[in-house]
């Protein structure tokens, strides 16, 4: 059995449009409205404008009249669009759009503002200036104007000079503060660098033996405090990593021979250590005669002689210790005597 097709029920046709003059109201209608005013209050709240806006069909209208109505509506819509286009559209990245039931996106707009440099205004200003230029000044008026201009220029020059004089001490103070800050930052960074290099060498000297050269380079800084810190840091590192034997560098024939990786690595470690140690001792010998660094330099020399009396360049350390044994400084003299006595045992 096939399904029966459902009949489509069409909506009823609209009643004919009757003009208001032809509408006749009976007494019964008036009496009914008086008795049931509460029902009629709903009609007073209806929005007739919105109803007519949505109703597109016109009852009992001819084709020509309908075309005119459609044309009027199209003109109204076009005018509305033009008004909307006159506004400045908000950037789509800044404002969220509104999506209508038709699926279209509408963005909020803002009215255009008149630019400050309006060409029309400029034109009026030029016209005014032109009108003013047409008036010729007398010689006395020209002289008075020139005097005023000169006075104003002098005043401006004096004010500029005052501001420059006031700004120069402030600028100098700011420059000094910046220099101090940069110097402090550089000092702190070098201190941290020395600490990092020293800790790396103490933890794994064989892998980080290259860092000795960098520490020696930092100890040659222009800052006296950094130099002292560098010398003392190198002293702690050398006392810890110097081996318990004298290093003998390989000869040319030994260098030409093939050796294993471990031997090659050991030779590199010993040669790098010995070269850095030699540069460090030369630095100490150069600073022992300077009053600013004599205390630190002699202390490092005596400490190295006490800790490693068997190691390379011990003769140089002993000579420097004996040289300073008659120093006027009690601390230096005590260190030298103690080191020589300990070395002779």
């Amino acid at each position: 059995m096939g399904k029966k097709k459902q009949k489509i029920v069409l909506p009823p046709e609209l009643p004919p449009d009757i003009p208001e003059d032809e509408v006749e109201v009976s007494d019964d209608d008036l009496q009914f409205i008086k008795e049931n005013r509460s029902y009629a209050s709903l009609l007073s709240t209806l929005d007739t404008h919105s109803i007519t806006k949505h109703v597109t069909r016109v009852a009992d209208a001819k084709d020509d009249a309908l075309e005119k109505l459609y044309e009027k509506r199209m003109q109204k819509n076009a005018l509305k669009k033009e008004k909307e286009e006159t506004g400045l559209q908000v950037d789509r990245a800044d404002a969220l759009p509104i999506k209508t039931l038709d699926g279209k996106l509408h963005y909020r707009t803002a009215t255009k503002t008149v630019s400050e440099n309006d060409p029309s205004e400029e034109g009026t200003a030029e016209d005014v200036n032109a009108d003013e230029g047409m008036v010729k000044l007398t010689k006395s008026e020209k002289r008075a104007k020139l005097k005023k201009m000169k006075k104003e220029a002098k005043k401006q020059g004096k004010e500029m000079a005052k501001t420059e004089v006031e700004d120069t001490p402030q600028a100098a103070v700011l420059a000094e503060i910046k220099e101090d800050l940069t110097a402090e930052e550089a000092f702190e960074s070098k201190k941290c660098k020395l600490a990092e290099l020293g800790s790396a060498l103490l933890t794994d000297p064989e892998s980080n033996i290259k860092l000795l050269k960098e520490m020696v380079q930092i100890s040659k800084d222009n800052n006296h405090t950094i130099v002292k810190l560098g010398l003392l840091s190198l002293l702690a590192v050398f006392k810890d990593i110097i081996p318990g034997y004298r290093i003998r560098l390989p000869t040319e024939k030994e260098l030409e021979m093939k050796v294993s990786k471990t031997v090659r690595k050991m030779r590199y470690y010993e040669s790098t250590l010995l070269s850095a140690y030699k540069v460090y001792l030369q630095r100490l010998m150069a600073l022992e005669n300077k009053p600013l660094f004599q205390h630190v330099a002699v202390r490092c020399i005596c400490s190295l002689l006490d800790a490693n009396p068997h190691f390379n360049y011990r003769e140089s350390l002993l000579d420097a210790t004996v040289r300073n044994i008659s120093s006027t400084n009690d601390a230096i003299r005590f260190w030298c005597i103690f080191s020589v006595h300990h070395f002779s045992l």
Side-chain angles (χ1 to χ4, degrees), residues 20 31 55 72 81 92 102 104 120 259 270 314:
E20 293 181 357
Q31 187 178 358
V55 174
K72 285 181 181 180
K81 285 183 180 179
R92 297 188 178 185
D102 301 335
K104 295 180 180 179
S120 61
V259 292
E270 290 179 349
R314 60 178 183 174

Side-chain angles (χ1 to χ4, degrees), residues 175-189:
E176 289 178 1
I177 291 168
K178 285 181 180 179
E179 287 178 1
D180 294 339
L181 289 172
T182 52
E184 287 179 3
E185 289 175 358
F187 178 75
E188 292 296 329
S189 65

Side-chain angles (χ1 to χ4, degrees), residues 194-195 197-199 201-202 209-220 226-242 273 276-281 283-284 287 296 300 303-304 308:
L194 281 171
L197 296 174
S199 61
L201 281 164
L202 292 174
I209 195 65
K210 291 181 181 179
L211 301 179
L212 277 174
K213 294 180 181 179
E214 194 171 350
M215 288 187 74
V216 172
Q217 192 65 30
I218 293 172
S219 66
K220 296 178 181 179
I226 293 294
V227 172
K228 292 177 182 179
L229 288 173
L231 294 175
L232 293 173
S233 301
L234 284 167
L235 172 65
V237 171
F238 279 122
K239 284 174 69 176
D240 189 78
I241 66 173
I242 284 176
L273 173 63
Y277 185 66
K278 183 179 179 181
V279 174
Y280 177 61
L281 291 182
R283 180 70 174 160
L284 291 175
L287 294 175
V296 177
C300 293
S303 298
L304 288 172
N308 305 294

Side-chain angles (χ1 to χ4, degrees), residues 101-168:
L101 296 173
D102 301 335
K104 295 180 180 179
L105 296 176
H106 292 280
Y107 294 88
R108 289 179 290 177
T109 56
T111 55
K112 285 185 178 179
T113 56
V114 180
S115 61
E116 293 179 358
N117 298 324
D118 196 354
S120 61
E121 292 179 359
E122 290 178 359
T124 54
E126 289 176 359
D127 295 338
V128 171
N129 292 331
D131 294 337
E132 289 179 354
M134 292 294 289
V135 179
K136 292 184 179 180
L137 299 174
T138 59
K139 290 183 179 180
S140 59
E141 289 176 350
K142 287 180 181 179
R143 288 174 185 173
K145 272 193 173 183
L146 287 171
K147 286 181 180 179
K148 285 182 181 179
M149 293 287 287
K150 287 179 181 179
K151 286 181 180 179
E152 288 177 358
K154 285 181 180 179
K155 286 181 181 179
Q156 289 179 357
K158 288 179 181 179
E159 289 176 358
M160 290 291 290
K162 285 181 181 179
T163 53
E164 287 178 358
V165 170
E166 290 176 356
D167 292 340
T168 47

